[in-house]
Amino acid sequence: MKAIKIPAERQMQVVDIDLPVMGAGDVLLKVNYVGFCGSDLNTFLGRNPMVHMPVIPGHEVGAVVEAVGADVPKEIKPGMNVTVNPYTNCGKCSSCRNRRVNACQHNETLGVQRDGAMCEYVALPWEKVIPAGQLLPRTCALIEPMSVGFHAVSRAEVTDIDTVLVIGCGMVGMGAVVRSALRGATVVAADIDDEKLVLAHQMGATYTINTRTEDAHEKLAELTSGFGPDVVIEAVGSIPTYQMAVNEVAFTGRTVCIGYAKTEVSFQTKFFVQKELDIRGSRNALPSDFRAVIHYLERGNCPVDCLISKVVKPEEAVDAMNQWAEQPGKVFRILVDMQ
């Protein structure tokens, strides 16, 4: 079957691999669409320290159940539209013991530490297959990245009396915008791209800030009567955005970090103490976050077409990645059509 492989930095090729072999508790999926995410771009550029190369990328999946193994629950049937929980968990580490399996110490994510789903068929344990109701496979490929943003909002314990600043309006940040708005919070979206900010407003942000052209500190003070946002969700992973998250959050506020900064970040640690901050990491997503995203998408209010920047065939994938590398701020999601 056809698959996409990243064998080395700046290299991507279409290869032929064997069809997967199903076990008794496995589900065989016919992959329709797979999204390229930021980790795939970093793998392609040689900047992903967590990847095991060479690798087949892909963990944002829209698929159809092709066949089921003998021990698969009857609720999972051939023909169902599904997405995939792409993370593993060992069941033994402290995260797993605390039922926070999304942060398993020994996690292996599809397309990062193990081969992913950017191929025509994939076989997975039934526990990792998530039925998506009437959502089309194309839409299903957006569920996983949005669920990461949803999970960050849960980590922040956002409520309807909070003002939430979301820094970074890519797919994960958009998920945080949506979930915060669904919880009744006042959402401020910050980015350097006006097109993304327009879309963030459409998806639930009450206010937007272009941090390249506006004074973010001044505007946040104006919007919050000088207090600062109760919650800041960092969804970029850069030195300035990490520092902004700590500097701008209100006293006794919560800062939740999703993005990986590529280098060390210096902070005014006095703010940790003076503000008595809760600084929390947010990693991956839980099954409940996937279900929440599906519930949101089923409402039909999400501008799905605006979130998909391009759909390409496998043979066009390397050109799409090179274009994304040249203009990273202009891409939400590139989907690869594996049909």
Side-chain angles (χ1 to χ4, degrees):
M1 66 174 178
K2 185 183 296 185
I4 293 175
K5 179 171 282 190
I6 302 176
E9 181 179 335
R10 290 277 184 176
Q11 295 181 30
M12 184 177 287
Q13 55 193 217
V14 179
V15 298
D16 189 62
I17 62 173
D18 293 336
L19 284 166
V21 177
M22 289 177 57
D26 288 345
V27 177
L28 181 66
L29 302 181
K30 174 67 180 77
V31 178
N32 287 12
Y33 295 94
V34 187
F36 274 129
C37 88
S39 65
D40 298 322
L41 177 62
N42 284 324
T43 296
F44 178 71
L45 296 175
R47 300 174 185 170
N48 188 348
M50 303 180 73
V51 72
H52 294 171
M53 298 279 274
V55 69
I56 295 171
H59 56 260
E60 302 175 1
V61 182
V64 177
V65 175
E66 182 81 6
V68 296
D71 298 333
V72 174
K74 62 182 179 180
E75 290 78 15
I76 299 177
K77 303 175 182 178
M80 293 179 67
N81 294 341
V82 299
T83 190
V84 167
N85 182 332
Y87 325 118
T88 65
N89 57 284
C90 69
K92 298 177 181 179
C93 71
S94 58
S95 299
C96 291
R97 290 171 60 190
N98 291 328
R99 297 183 180 180
R100 289 164 64 178
V101 295
N102 59 295
C104 174
Q105 182 178 352
H106 306 291
N107 167 69
E108 293 184 354
T109 298
L110 285 174
V112 184
Q113 293 90 359
R114 56 187 174 133
D115 280 339
M118 206 160 281
C119 47
E120 293 182 87
Y121 293 91
V122 64
L124 295 167
W126 69 264
E127 295 92 342
K128 298 300 180 182
V129 176
I130 302 174
Q134 299 303 309
L135 295 180
L136 297 174
R138 185 169 174 267
T139 302
C140 290
L142 304 177
I143 293 172
E144 190 275 342
M146 291 192 75
S147 73
V148 176
F150 272 47
H151 183 69
V153 173
S154 294
R155 290 283 293 141
E157 300 179 271
V158 170
T159 73
D160 59 343
I161 62 172
D162 289 322
T163 295
V164 179
L165 170 64
V166 178
I167 306 175
C169 294
M171 275 295 300
V172 171
M174 286 296 185
V177 168
V178 169
R179 188 57 160 163
S180 297
L182 289 173
R183 290 192 175 199
T186 300
V187 183
V188 183
D191 201 279
I192 59 174
D193 186 88
D194 284 329
E195 291 180 15
K196 288 185 176 180
L197 291 172
V198 169
L199 185 55
H201 180 71
Q202 185 179 347
M203 297 184 71
T206 308
Y207 306 102
T208 62
I209 301 174
N210 186 319
T211 56
R212 178 173 286 168
T213 60
E214 299 177 85
D215 187 319
H217 176 75
E218 185 176 294
K219 189 162 183 179
L220 286 167
E222 177 187 337
L223 295 175
T224 63
S225 301
F227 291 109
D230 305 285
V231 173
V232 177
I233 296 175
E234 198 286 334
V236 177
S238 71
I239 293 173
T241 53
Y242 259 81
Q243 292 173 335
M244 178 182 178
V246 171
N247 294 346
E248 299 299 339
V249 71
F251 273 63
T252 67
R254 288 100 70 200
T255 294
V256 175
C257 305
I258 311 174
Y260 281 90
K262 306 303 183 292
T263 56
E264 292 184 0
V265 183
S266 297
F267 293 102
Q268 290 287 341
T269 55
K270 66 178 183 180
F271 289 145
F272 297 5
V273 178
Q274 288 180 343
K275 293 185 177 184
E276 199 175 54
L277 295 183
D278 286 341
I279 301 176
R280 306 174 185 180
S282 183
R283 184 183 180 190
N284 300 331
L286 288 165
S288 58
D289 301 308
F290 282 84
R291 292 196 300 272
V293 173
I294 291 169
H295 181 64
Y296 161 67
L297 292 171
E298 285 178 331
R299 297 180 183 184
N301 299 324
C302 179
V304 170
D305 289 341
C306 296
L307 297 175
I308 300 172
S309 304
K310 184 182 295 187
V311 179
V312 300
K313 291 293 185 180
E315 294 77 11
E316 303 167 321
V318 65
D319 288 338
M321 288 297 268
N322 279 316
Q323 291 170 17
W324 189 9
E326 292 170 4
Q327 291 187 304
K330 291 295 183 181
V331 172
F332 281 103
R333 269 306 174 268
I334 297 171
L335 300 187
V336 180
D337 183 352
M338 297 301 306
Q339 298 175 88

